Amino acid sequence: MKFRLIVFFLSFIIVSCNNKDERVADSARAEKLNTAALETLSKNWHFAIPPANIKVQNQIRGWNQWHSFVQELQQTPKGSLNAFRTKSKNLTTKGQLLESNIPPMFNKPAVKSRISTLNTKLKSLETYISLQVVPTDKVLKLLPEVSSELASIQNQMNEIIIKSEIPKEEGELIMLQALDTTRNARREIQETLPEVKK
């Protein structure tokens, strides 16, 4: 009985030592990969933020969330992977705030969907950077995609302004109201409500 107990403890100690050596080796490998990842991110972390035209700038002047988000994008993290992790988390948070206070002129599904797509890219970026070993290939692929989504949002805002400046033809407003299915649906519901009360 004592012999079995001694053999059990010795095998447990040997297995524990092997696991510890494997963990130390894995940790060293992860540290080496993350050092390379930090170097790669430091060289490639930049976003192309296209300048908004004057008419768009006038409309988004009071959109503080947008200005705060763009300012956050322009600041490059330095020093460690934790700085990049903090930066990606801040970008995700500020990206989500964009949806809360869109200027009335741009508060349209086309702009909202583009902001939503941008937020999806930012969440992916945060997820990859927060991993123990950062997959730099995936992060480097996402950086230009975030820039592309920013350009898409600004292009959409510009398109909305251009369309708003096109003069309406005589009778066009009446035709558009007739084609508005939500307005027609509401009118049909209102017409049936008094009948239900009778």
Side-chain angles (χ1 to χ4, degrees):
M1 184 71 176
K2 282 185 175 184
F3 179 71
R4 287 184 184 169
L5 191 58
I6 292 172
V7 170
F8 174 74
F9 281 122
L10 286 175
S11 62
F12 179 73
I13 291 171
I14 291 171
V15 170
S16 295
C17 290
N18 287 341
N19 286 344
K20 185 178 180 184
D21 292 341
E22 288 175 15
R23 284 190 302 243
V24 168
D26 287 344
S27 179
R29 246 181 274 128
E31 185 68 31
K32 192 175 187 180
L33 289 171
N34 282 338
T35 302
L38 176 61
E39 194 174 306
T40 303
L41 288 176
S42 295
K43 287 179 185 174
N44 296 298
W45 187 276
H46 61 278
F47 299 97
I49 305 167
N53 68 31
I54 294 171
K55 292 178 181 176
V56 171
Q57 285 178 5
N58 289 337
Q59 292 295 323
I60 63 173
R61 184 172 289 139
W63 193 9
N64 297 332
Q65 290 84 354
W66 177 264
H67 299 297
S68 176
F69 177 73
V70 169
Q71 187 177 11
E72 189 73 35
L73 277 174
Q74 291 171 337
Q75 298 168 354
T76 304
K78 293 181 178 138
S80 68
L81 273 179
N82 284 336
F84 283 94
R85 289 179 177 128
T86 303
K87 174 61 75 176
S88 64
K89 187 173 184 177
N90 290 344
L91 287 173
T92 302
T93 303
K94 291 190 177 190
Q96 289 173 342
L97 291 174
L98 289 176
E99 297 173 343
S100 65
N101 194 17
I102 302 172
M105 182 174 210
F106 302 128
N107 197 1
K108 303 199 180 321
V111 174
K112 288 180 179 180
S113 66
R114 283 165 176 76
I115 291 173
S116 185
T117 305
L118 172 68
N119 284 332
T120 302
K121 305 278 184 196
L122 293 172
K123 287 175 188 171
S124 297
L125 185 65
E126 180 184 1
T127 301
Y128 289 137
I129 290 180
S130 66
L131 294 174
Q132 185 177 358
V133 176
V134 178
T136 51
D137 55 336
K138 292 181 179 177
V139 172
L140 292 179
K141 184 182 172 200
L142 276 171
L143 295 177
E145 289 178 8
V146 169
S147 297
S148 174
E149 293 304 325
L150 280 170
S152 176
I153 292 168
Q154 288 198 356
N155 289 340
Q156 186 61 45
M157 290 190 292
N158 191 37
E159 186 176 325
I160 289 170
I161 287 179
I162 290 170
K163 285 183 179 179
S164 73
E165 292 174 345
I166 298 172
K168 302 244 186 279
E169 290 185 20
E170 190 175 319
E172 184 178 356
L173 188 59
I174 296 168
M175 183 190 73
L176 289 174
Q177 288 175 350
L179 292 174
D180 188 359
T181 56
T182 56
R183 182 177 298 207
N184 291 336
R186 279 186 247 132
R187 184 175 52 223
E188 289 170 8
I189 290 171
Q190 289 174 353
E191 289 172 359
T192 58
L193 283 178
E195 293 173 11
V196 173
K197 289 179 182 176
K198 291 176 184 176

